[in-house]
Amino acid sequence: MPEIRNFTLNFGPAHPAAHGVLRLVLEMDGEVIQRADPHIGLLHRGTEKLAESKPYNQSIGYMDRLDYVSMMCNEHGYVLALEKMLGIEAPIRAQYIRTMFDEITRILNHLLWIGAHALDVGAMTMFLYAFREREDLMDVYEAVSGARLHATYYRPGGVYRDLPDVMPLHEKSRWHSDADIERLNQTRGGTVLDFIEDFTNRFPKCVDEYETLLTDNRIWKQRLVDIGIVSPERALQLGLTGAMLRGSGVEWDLRKKQPYAMYDQVDFDIPVGKNGDSYDRYLVRIEEFRQSNRIIKQCVDWLRKNPGPVMHPDHKITPPKREEMKGDMEALIHHFKLATEGYCLPEGEAYAAIEHPKGEFGCYIISDGANKPYRLKIRAPGFAHMSAMDELTKGHMLADVVTVIGTMDIVFGEVDR
Amino acid sequence: MTEALRTLETHITKSLSEKLISSKIEINELTIEVAPVDLLSTVIFLRDDESCCFEQLIDLCGVDYLAYGESEWDVDASSFSRGVKREFSFDDSELDEMDVEFEGKRFASVIHLLSIKHNHRIRLKTYCDDNEFPVVDSVTDIWNSANWFEREAFDLLGIMYSGHPDLRRILTDYGFSGHPFRKDFPLIGQVEMRYDEEQQRVVYEPVSIEPRVLVPRVIRDDLRFTAAKENKTKTEAEE
């Protein structure tokens, strides 16, 4: 009789379902996975080392490029750590803006997740649906920061600028007919807040659409139910956070338990799963869509009624207004010092964590009193999730690997840093 | 929050007694330090004790203290300079000298723990005894999530975790040499690669770019922070 042996299969790094640059070495017994060994680091840029060579503010842009589908949430984690060390707090309006943009970012992230996840499993349409809404939200990003993806909008002490009064309109071009332009600009006549409010009014309908496509879909359920089950105890052991932890039935959300920004002022619920399988995690994230939408609505209401400053007034840390610099010597000096040297943090260390769309995103900063961090450690949720890959896929079929990668919501920008 | 942290600190101080090298609460964060020999017993206590109950290891990272407190610009000097000292040297003998010069413990392994039950966090620091060959016990058996974090600290800083089941490099390239997050590793790296037409393959060469510093590293005694610190010690002394 011939000897039957396991064989190893190389998955990625250029596999479309590998969500970027994941190389998985799978040890297979027939079609069943015995061991999965993820090789990561193909996107390693040394963000932490780069940050050590730059003044604090210049690293905010690097944070966008970590998890490049939830940009502002990464910035929030970093900026919070800085504010903690400096002992300052952003003005309330800035904190509401941050809360709102964190939730916009959460929707952006989950939209990409649901699109890519469904596409991996075999539902092409979801991707197109998800990008329809993503487009609107990225326009909001662009309106406030000038960039659709890498916003660098949050700054220590507040946000870069207040919400603009006008939402930019689409212009006529070769790609859009007049009818198109009219339809696109219909909701863009007012302020940015008007546009966001309009979005929150139509978004629940969109989530319903996703659900009609997926929730009771026979194929979707066959591919997701009972795949990658994690018990609550194992989830804690493996360091899973965010929806991965809540899917296993652990009610843990930093927005509620260790509130930051304005999360203790807004109403929302934490959805939890029951079985800890991929399908439950899907349901959790779908509910998070609706809850985020609810939070955005409340923030819009508050922001309409309460104008105010969005930057901390201490110009040792935040740059003065451009107009002031024209006539005020002190403002000019402040700007010069900030641009050429930055600001120094007191000696010490701090860890600040936020509830990132993917889980707990934390920044650990050690400062020796200089204008650059001595050591910056970024705790990326995806890194811990990826390390659980072996356990989640063991005993499953090859095709389920794709489902597990999808359900973990992996983005390599943050895993490899 | 602070009250609860204080209670936790006294509880830990009492239970660990002489194992504890130091403990402090700063910016609402509790940091404790133990020696590498006591690490395993400490983490088991932190996980299993009823009022600690740290079920989750959130983060583990290594720190290299080689250049701690060094600045590139002497702010006390009376004249102005470009302020940029050359940071790195490619001469190996100089690097060795740097190691010899360094006094104290160079490498630390820092663990961040979270208790979901009690909703509190703690930071646990361990300084490795040997600067040449830093070793710490692995905590992978206590929290499985430590596995990759320890591999990362090994890869980037060269800290060895004894008892780790699979201590391989994780983030750097296959065949990479050196530990890039060490402070004596140049920011620009040591090798660059390009495709060689003649040999028809990718070749590695020493880096051709020069290291440069755009904004010098400056340490200033900011009066606001000094004042805040003095106030704090004053109130603490009064207490």
Side-chain angles (χ1 to χ4, degrees):
Chain A
M1 224 177 100
E3 193 189 350
I4 298 172
R5 274 182 309 172
N6 288 347
F7 65 99
T8 42
L9 187 84
N10 197 34
F11 177 100
H15 192 285
H19 284 210
V21 282
L22 166 67
R23 181 180 168 212
L24 260 178
V25 179
L26 300 166
E27 202 179 302
M28 316 273 302
D29 175 16
E31 219 185 318
V32 180
I33 287 146
Q34 301 295 316
R35 198 173 80 96
D37 178 18
H39 288 203
I40 61 166
L42 287 102
L43 201 61
H44 179 59
R45 294 145 292 173
T47 304
E48 293 155 359
K49 179 108 178 166
L50 285 170
E52 284 167 19
S53 70
K54 288 188 164 39
Y56 287 100
N57 267 18
Q58 291 185 16
S59 301
I60 302 174
Y62 280 125
M63 299 301 132
D64 290 311
R65 287 149 180 85
L66 288 172
D67 179 358
Y68 42 77
V69 292
S70 34
M71 297 69 69
M72 288 202 196
C73 285
N74 304 335
E75 287 171 25
H76 202 165
Y78 179 65
V79 161
L80 268 188
L82 290 182
E83 286 177 353
K84 216 171 169 181
M85 297 268 288
L86 287 165
I88 56 168
E89 243 184 37
I92 300 179
R93 185 171 167 87
Q95 301 217 29
Y96 265 100
I97 293 177
R98 284 184 188 174
T99 311
M100 182 172 83
F101 271 98
D102 270 18
E103 295 311 312
I104 287 178
T105 309
R106 197 176 311 276
I107 292 180
L108 268 173
N109 175 79
H110 284 4
L111 279 173
L112 189 93
W113 160 77
I114 203 177
H117 189 21
L119 182 64
D120 290 347
V121 170
M124 176 80 208
T125 326
M126 269 318 301
F127 205 69
L128 306 174
Y129 271 60
F131 267 71
R132 188 185 54 184
E133 274 75 59
R134 260 178 77 83
E135 200 60 30
D136 284 342
L137 291 177
M138 286 198 288
D139 283 348
V140 176
Y141 258 54
E142 192 179 356
V144 296
S145 73
R148 285 159 60 84
L149 290 169
H150 303 308
T152 329
Y153 181 53
Y154 294 7
R155 302 290 160 92
V159 292
Y160 164 62
R161 66 166 185 177
D162 206 345
L163 302 168
D165 289 332
V166 281
M167 184 74 196
L169 296 171
H170 276 279
E171 278 167 21
K172 209 178 146 186
S173 70
R174 272 155 62 196
W175 298 279
H176 292 301
S177 66
D178 285 347
D180 268 349
I181 295 287
E182 198 179 318
R183 182 179 50 81
L184 284 168
N185 284 343
Q186 219 168 26
T187 52
R188 282 163 211 256
T191 65
V192 171
L193 278 176
D194 290 336
F195 182 74
I196 297 174
E197 189 175 26
D198 178 71
F199 178 85
T200 56
N201 289 335
R202 61 197 147 90
F203 188 61
K205 272 244 165 62
C206 302
V207 182
D208 291 342
E209 282 177 8
Y210 312 149
E211 284 217 81
T212 45
L213 278 169
L214 294 176
T215 304
D216 292 321
N217 184 317
R218 188 152 42 108
I219 305 170
W220 182 249
K221 277 184 136 176
Q222 279 169 350
R223 292 296 303 271
L224 260 72
V225 174
D226 285 346
I227 301 299
I229 300 181
V230 204
S231 68
E233 296 78 30
R234 286 308 296 165
L236 290 172
Q237 261 289 318
L238 292 167
L240 305 186
T241 44
M244 292 291 289
L245 185 60
R246 291 193 284 276
S248 298
V250 182
E251 197 194 330
W252 181 261
D253 190 320
L254 290 177
R255 291 176 293 171
K256 277 265 195 245
K257 307 284 176 179
Q258 299 176 359
Y260 53 95
M262 281 296 142
Y263 281 110
D264 48 355
Q265 301 294 315
V266 290
D267 261 350
F268 64 101
D269 301 319
I270 314 174
V272 287
K274 244 179 171 173
N275 309 314
D277 60 356
S278 299
Y279 189 69
D280 276 24
R281 289 190 280 270
Y282 155 76
L283 292 176
V284 165
R285 290 197 177 105
I286 284 285
E287 186 53 33
E288 281 183 8
F289 271 136
R290 300 186 194 278
Q291 296 302 331
S292 292
N293 200 58
R294 220 172 118 191
I295 299 173
I296 296 174
K297 260 199 167 119
Q298 295 169 50
C299 291
V300 169
D301 275 351
W302 192 93
L303 286 168
R304 267 189 206 291
K305 288 179 209 137
N306 300 281
V310 292
M311 259 299 195
H312 196 269
D314 183 357
H315 292 318
K316 296 272 184 271
I317 297 154
T318 60
K321 280 211 175 69
R322 178 88 12 202
E323 303 94 80
E324 282 170 31
M325 265 150 42
K326 306 287 182 197
D328 183 12
M329 189 66 194
E330 203 181 336
L332 190 65
I333 295 171
H334 276 135
H335 179 265
F336 177 76
K337 284 310 276 181
L338 281 172
T340 54
E341 186 178 304
Y343 46 83
C344 293
L345 251 60
E347 190 179 353
E349 45 193 40
Y351 176 83
I354 61 147
E355 186 70 27
H356 186 271
K358 295 182 166 63
E360 175 172 332
F361 177 92
C363 275
Y364 172 44
I365 295 182
I366 301 179
S367 160
D368 56 355
N371 56 344
K372 304 171 180 182
Y374 183 75
R375 172 90 166 97
L376 170 70
K377 172 75 200 322
I378 295 152
R379 194 272 175 198
F383 188 78
H385 295 170
M386 201 65 230
S387 68
M389 186 78 196
D390 181 41
E391 188 164 326
L392 260 66
T393 50
K394 202 169 273 176
H396 281 308
M397 306 288 239
L398 177 60
D400 297 331
V401 170
V402 173
T403 312
V404 172
I405 294 174
T407 193
M408 288 198 295
D409 198 1
I410 294 292
V411 165
F412 269 87
E414 58 154 11
V415 175
D416 291 345
R417 281 159 290 146
Chain B
M1 197 76 189
T2 327
E3 267 314 296
L5 262 189
R6 285 249 162 78
T7 344
L8 180 69
E9 190 190 16
T10 25
H11 174 72
I12 290 173
T13 323
K14 230 182 259 165
S15 317
L16 290 177
S17 59
E18 70 269 18
K19 272 189 214 163
L20 201 68
I21 294 174
S22 74
S23 88
K24 60 178 177 210
I25 297 181
E26 270 180 6
I27 340 178
N28 248 330
E29 290 175 25
L30 174 58
T31 311
I32 62 171
E33 189 198 324
V34 294
V37 276
D38 298 323
L39 182 70
L40 273 186
S41 56
T42 309
V43 291
I44 289 172
F45 161 76
L46 287 176
R47 184 191 60 176
D48 295 340
D49 185 74
E50 213 18 67
S51 43
C52 292
C53 213
F54 290 100
E55 308 104 329
Q56 207 169 21
L57 179 134
I58 283 294
D59 186 35
L60 186 152
C61 70
V63 187
D64 176 7
Y65 278 100
L66 181 67
Y68 192 80
E70 274 177 26
S71 61
E72 289 154 348
W73 193 359
D74 187 8
V75 286
D76 296 325
S78 53
S79 64
F80 291 100
S81 65
R82 278 291 309 281
V84 183
K85 280 189 267 176
R86 188 154 164 193
E87 219 183 337
F88 313 110
S89 162
F90 297 106
D91 191 1
D92 282 342
S93 58
E94 272 184 49
L95 282 185
D96 288 342
E97 247 168 58
M98 226 169 151
D99 282 341
V100 178
E101 267 174 36
F102 187 73
E103 279 172 25
K105 293 177 177 175
R106 182 175 162 184
F107 292 103
S109 175
V110 187
I111 298 177
H112 284 92
L113 299 173
L114 168 70
S115 165
I116 280 185
K117 192 173 165 197
H118 301 301
N119 192 7
H120 54 214
R121 291 172 190 273
I122 196 171
R123 179 184 304 132
L124 173 62
K125 281 185 122 174
T126 322
Y127 287 87
C128 308
D129 290 324
D130 191 353
N131 288 349
E132 293 297 309
F133 187 73
V135 188
V136 206
D137 282 322
S138 165
V139 295
T140 310
D141 289 337
I142 290 88
W143 296 283
N144 297 159
S145 55
N147 189 328
W148 275 29
F149 286 120
E150 283 174 356
R151 276 178 70 185
E152 185 193 326
F154 159 70
D155 186 3
L156 301 179
L157 287 139
I159 301 173
M160 311 297 285
Y161 288 89
S162 68
H164 190 282
D166 182 23
L167 200 63
R168 281 178 294 154
R169 284 187 179 270
I170 185 165
L171 286 176
T172 50
D173 198 1
Y174 302 112
F176 190 87
S177 66
H179 301 286
F181 278 24
R182 287 191 173 186
K183 290 287 175 180
D184 47 14
F185 191 96
L187 182 70
I188 54 168
Q190 280 161 338
V191 287
E192 60 186 29
M193 56 201 271
R194 65 175 174 89
Y195 179 74
D196 190 280
E197 279 288 337
E198 283 168 25
Q199 296 179 57
Q200 300 277 302
R201 65 182 176 89
V202 172
V203 290
Y204 287 84
E205 288 163 346
V207 274
S208 56
I209 48 171
E210 282 281 307
R212 57 173 187 170
V213 179
L214 292 179
V215 181
R217 183 182 188 84
V218 176
I219 297 179
R220 283 186 193 279
D221 290 322
D222 197 318
L223 284 173
R224 288 167 302 158
F225 302 138
T226 349
K229 218 172 212 175
E230 270 165 17
N231 276 339
K232 210 181 127 202
T233 39
K234 218 182 268 172
T235 44
E236 266 168 23
E238 276 164 19
E239 274 175 22

Coordinates of all heavy atoms in Angstrom, one line a residue, chain A residues 132-171:
Chain A
R132 N -21.2 51.7 -3.3 CA -22.1 52.8 -3.5 C -22.2 53.7 -2.3 O -22.0 55.0 -2.4 CB -23.5 52.2 -3.8 CG -24.6 53.1 -4.2 CD -25.9 52.3 -4.3 NE -26.2 51.6 -3.1 CZ -27.2 50.8 -2.9 NH1 -28.0 50.5 -3.9 NH2 -27.4 50.3 -1.7
E133 N -22.3 53.2 -1.1 CA -22.4 54.0 0.1 C -21.0 54.5 0.5 O -20.9 55.6 1.1 CB -23.0 53.2 1.3 CG -24.5 53.2 1.3 CD -25.1 52.4 0.2 OE1 -24.8 51.1 0.2 OE2 -25.8 52.9 -0.7
R134 N -20.0 53.7 0.3 CA -18.6 54.1 0.7 C -18.3 55.4 0.0 O -17.6 56.3 0.5 CB -17.6 53.1 0.3 CG -17.2 52.2 1.4 CD -16.2 51.1 0.9 NE -14.9 51.6 0.7 CZ -14.0 51.8 1.6 NH1 -14.2 51.5 2.8 NH2 -12.8 52.3 1.3
E135 N -18.7 55.5 -1.3 CA -18.4 56.7 -2.1 C -18.9 58.0 -1.4 O -18.2 59.0 -1.2 CB -19.1 56.6 -3.4 CG -18.6 57.4 -4.5 CD -17.1 57.2 -4.8 OE1 -16.6 56.0 -4.6 OE2 -16.4 58.1 -5.1
D136 N -20.2 57.9 -0.8 CA -20.7 59.1 -0.1 C -19.9 59.5 1.1 O -19.6 60.6 1.3 CB -22.2 58.8 0.3 CG -23.1 58.9 -0.9 OD1 -22.7 59.5 -1.9 OD2 -24.2 58.3 -0.8
L137 N -19.5 58.4 1.8 CA -18.8 58.7 3.1 C -17.4 59.2 2.8 O -16.9 60.1 3.5 CB -18.7 57.5 3.9 CG -20.1 57.1 4.5 CD1 -20.0 55.8 5.3 CD2 -20.7 58.2 5.4
M138 N -16.8 58.7 1.7 CA -15.5 59.2 1.4 C -15.5 60.7 0.9 O -14.6 61.4 1.1 CB -14.8 58.3 0.4 CG -14.3 57.0 1.0 SD -13.1 56.1 0.1 CE -14.1 55.5 -1.2
D139 N -16.7 61.0 0.3 CA -16.8 62.4 0.0 C -16.9 63.3 1.2 O -16.4 64.4 1.2 CB -18.1 62.6 -0.8 CG -18.0 62.2 -2.3 OD1 -16.8 61.9 -2.7 OD2 -19.0 62.0 -3.0
V140 N -17.5 62.8 2.3 CA -17.5 63.5 3.5 C -16.0 63.7 4.1 O -15.6 64.8 4.5 CB -18.3 62.8 4.6 CG1 -18.3 63.5 5.9 CG2 -19.8 62.7 4.1
Y141 N -15.3 62.6 4.0 CA -13.9 62.7 4.4 C -13.2 63.8 3.6 O -12.4 64.6 4.1 CB -13.2 61.4 4.0 CG -12.9 60.4 5.2 CD1 -13.9 60.0 6.0 CD2 -11.6 59.9 5.4 CE1 -13.7 59.1 7.0 CE2 -11.4 59.0 6.4 CZ -12.4 58.7 7.2 OH -12.2 57.8 8.3
E142 N -13.4 63.8 2.3 CA -12.8 64.8 1.4 C -13.2 66.2 1.8 O -12.4 67.1 1.8 CB -13.1 64.5 -0.1 CG -12.3 65.2 -1.0 CD -12.6 64.9 -2.5 OE1 -13.4 64.0 -2.7 OE2 -12.0 65.6 -3.3
A143 N -14.5 66.3 2.1 CA -15.0 67.7 2.4 C -14.3 68.3 3.6 O -14.0 69.4 3.7 CB -16.5 67.7 2.6
V144 N -14.0 67.4 4.6 CA -13.5 68.0 5.9 C -11.9 68.0 5.8 O -11.3 68.9 6.5 CB -13.9 67.2 7.1 CG1 -15.4 67.4 7.4 CG2 -13.5 65.8 7.1
S145 N -11.3 67.1 5.1 CA -9.9 67.0 5.2 C -9.1 67.3 3.9 O -7.9 67.5 3.9 CB -9.4 65.7 5.8 OG -9.6 64.7 4.8
G146 N -9.9 67.2 2.8 CA -9.2 67.3 1.5 C -8.7 66.0 0.9 O -8.3 66.0 -0.2
A147 N -8.8 64.9 1.7 CA -8.3 63.6 1.2 C -9.4 62.6 1.4 O -10.1 62.6 2.4 CB -7.0 63.2 1.9
R148 N -9.5 61.7 0.4 CA -10.6 60.7 0.5 C -10.2 59.6 1.5 O -11.0 58.9 2.0 CB -10.9 60.1 -0.8 CG -11.7 61.1 -1.7 CD -11.6 60.7 -3.1 NE -12.1 59.4 -3.4 CZ -13.3 59.1 -3.7 NH1 -14.3 60.0 -3.6 NH2 -13.7 57.9 -3.9
L149 N -8.9 59.3 1.6 CA -8.5 58.2 2.4 C -7.6 58.6 3.6 O -8.0 58.5 4.7 CB -7.8 57.1 1.6 CG -8.6 56.4 0.6 CD1 -7.7 55.6 -0.4 CD2 -9.5 55.4 1.3
H150 N -6.5 59.1 3.3 CA -5.5 59.4 4.3 C -5.7 60.9 4.8 O -5.1 61.8 4.4 CB -4.1 59.2 3.8 CG -3.9 57.8 3.3 ND1 -4.3 56.7 4.1 CD2 -3.5 57.3 2.2 CE1 -4.0 55.6 3.4 NE2 -3.6 55.9 2.3
A151 N -6.6 61.0 5.8 CA -7.2 62.3 6.1 C -6.2 63.2 6.9 O -6.1 64.3 6.7 CB -8.5 62.1 6.9
T152 N -5.5 62.6 7.9 CA -4.8 63.4 8.9 C -5.6 64.5 9.4 O -5.2 65.7 9.5 CB -3.4 63.9 8.3 OG1 -3.0 63.0 7.3 CG2 -2.4 64.1 9.3
Y153 N -6.8 64.2 9.9 CA -7.7 65.2 10.3 C -7.7 65.4 11.8 O -7.8 66.5 12.3 CB -9.1 64.7 9.9 CG -10.3 65.6 10.2 CD1 -10.2 67.0 9.8 CD2 -11.4 65.2 10.9 CE1 -11.3 67.8 10.1 CE2 -12.4 66.1 11.2 CZ -12.4 67.4 10.8 OH -13.4 68.2 11.1
Y154 N -7.4 64.4 12.6 CA -7.3 64.5 14.0 C -6.0 65.0 14.4 O -5.0 64.6 13.9 CB -7.5 63.2 14.7 CG -8.9 62.6 14.6 CD1 -9.9 63.1 13.8 CD2 -9.2 61.4 15.3 CE1 -11.1 62.5 13.6 CE2 -10.5 60.8 15.2 CZ -11.4 61.4 14.3 OH -12.6 60.8 14.2
R155 N -5.9 66.0 15.3 CA -4.6 66.5 15.8 C -4.7 66.5 17.3 O -5.8 66.5 17.9 CB -4.4 67.9 15.4 CG -4.4 68.2 13.9 CD -3.2 67.6 13.2 NE -3.4 67.4 11.8 CZ -3.1 68.3 10.9 NH1 -2.6 69.4 11.2 NH2 -3.4 68.0 9.6
P156 N -3.5 66.4 18.0 CA -3.6 66.5 19.4 C -4.1 67.8 19.8 O -3.6 68.8 19.3 CB -2.1 66.3 19.9 CG -1.3 66.5 18.6 CD -2.2 66.1 17.5
G157 N -5.2 67.8 20.6 CA -5.8 69.1 21.0 C -7.1 69.4 20.2 O -7.7 70.4 20.4
G158 N -7.5 68.5 19.3 CA -8.7 68.7 18.6 C -8.7 68.1 17.2 O -8.1 67.1 17.0
V159 N -9.4 68.8 16.3 CA -9.3 68.4 14.9 C -8.8 69.5 14.0 O -8.9 70.7 14.5 CB -10.7 67.9 14.4 CG1 -11.1 66.6 15.0 CG2 -11.8 69.0 14.5
Y160 N -8.3 69.2 12.9 CA -7.6 70.2 12.0 C -8.5 71.4 11.8 O -8.0 72.5 11.8 CB -7.2 69.5 10.7 CG -6.8 70.4 9.6 CD1 -5.7 71.3 9.8 CD2 -7.5 70.4 8.4 CE1 -5.4 72.1 8.8 CE2 -7.2 71.3 7.4 CZ -6.1 72.1 7.6 OH -5.8 73.0 6.6
R161 N -9.7 71.2 11.4 CA -10.6 72.4 11.2 C -12.0 72.0 11.5 O -12.4 70.9 11.5 CB -10.4 73.0 9.8 CG -10.9 72.0 8.7 CD -11.0 72.8 7.4 NE -11.6 72.0 6.4 CZ -11.9 72.4 5.2 NH1 -11.6 73.6 4.9 NH2 -12.4 71.6 4.3
D162 N -12.9 73.1 11.6 CA -14.3 72.8 11.8 C -14.9 72.3 10.5 O -14.4 72.4 9.5 CB -14.9 74.1 12.3 CG -16.2 73.9 13.1 OD1 -16.6 72.7 13.1 OD2 -16.7 74.8 13.8
L163 N -16.1 71.7 10.7 CA -16.8 71.2 9.5 C -17.2 72.3 8.6 O -17.6 73.4 9.0 CB -18.2 70.6 10.0 CG -18.0 69.4 11.0 CD1 -19.3 69.1 11.6 CD2 -17.3 68.2 10.4
P164 N -16.9 72.2 7.3 CA -17.1 73.3 6.3 C -18.6 73.5 6.1 O -19.4 72.6 6.3 CB -16.5 72.7 5.1 CG -16.3 71.3 5.2 CD -16.2 71.0 6.7
D165 N -18.9 74.7 5.7 CA -20.3 75.1 5.5 C -20.9 74.5 4.3 O -22.1 74.4 4.2 CB -20.5 76.6 5.6 CG -20.2 77.2 6.9 OD1 -20.5 76.4 7.9 OD2 -19.7 78.3 7.1
V166 N -20.1 74.3 3.3 CA -20.7 73.8 2.0 C -20.1 72.4 1.7 O -19.0 72.1 2.0 CB -20.4 74.7 0.8 CG1 -21.3 75.9 0.9 CG2 -18.9 75.1 0.9
M167 N -21.1 71.6 1.2 CA -20.7 70.3 0.7 C -20.3 70.5 -0.8 O -21.1 71.0 -1.5 CB -21.8 69.3 0.9 CG -21.5 67.9 0.5 SD -20.5 67.1 1.7 CE -20.0 65.7 0.8
P168 N -19.1 70.1 -1.2 CA -18.7 70.3 -2.6 C -19.7 69.6 -3.5 O -20.1 68.5 -3.2 CB -17.3 69.7 -2.7 CG -16.8 69.6 -1.3 CD -18.0 69.5 -0.4
L169 N -19.9 70.2 -4.7 CA -20.8 69.6 -5.7 C -20.1 68.9 -6.7 O -18.9 69.2 -7.0 CB -21.7 70.7 -6.3 CG -22.6 71.5 -5.4 CD1 -23.2 72.7 -6.2 CD2 -23.7 70.6 -4.9
H170 N -20.7 67.9 -7.3 CA -20.1 67.2 -8.5 C -20.1 68.2 -9.7 O -21.0 68.9 -9.9 CB -20.9 66.0 -8.8 CG -20.5 64.8 -8.0 ND1 -19.4 64.1 -8.2 CD2 -21.0 64.3 -6.9 CE1 -19.3 63.1 -7.3 NE2 -20.3 63.2 -6.5
E171 N -19.0 68.1 -10.4 CA -19.0 69.0 -11.6 C -19.2 68.1 -12.9 O -18.9 66.9 -12.9 CB -17.7 69.7 -11.7 CG -17.6 70.9 -10.9 CD -16.2 71.5 -10.7 OE1 -15.4 71.2 -11.5 OE2 -16.0 72.2 -9.7

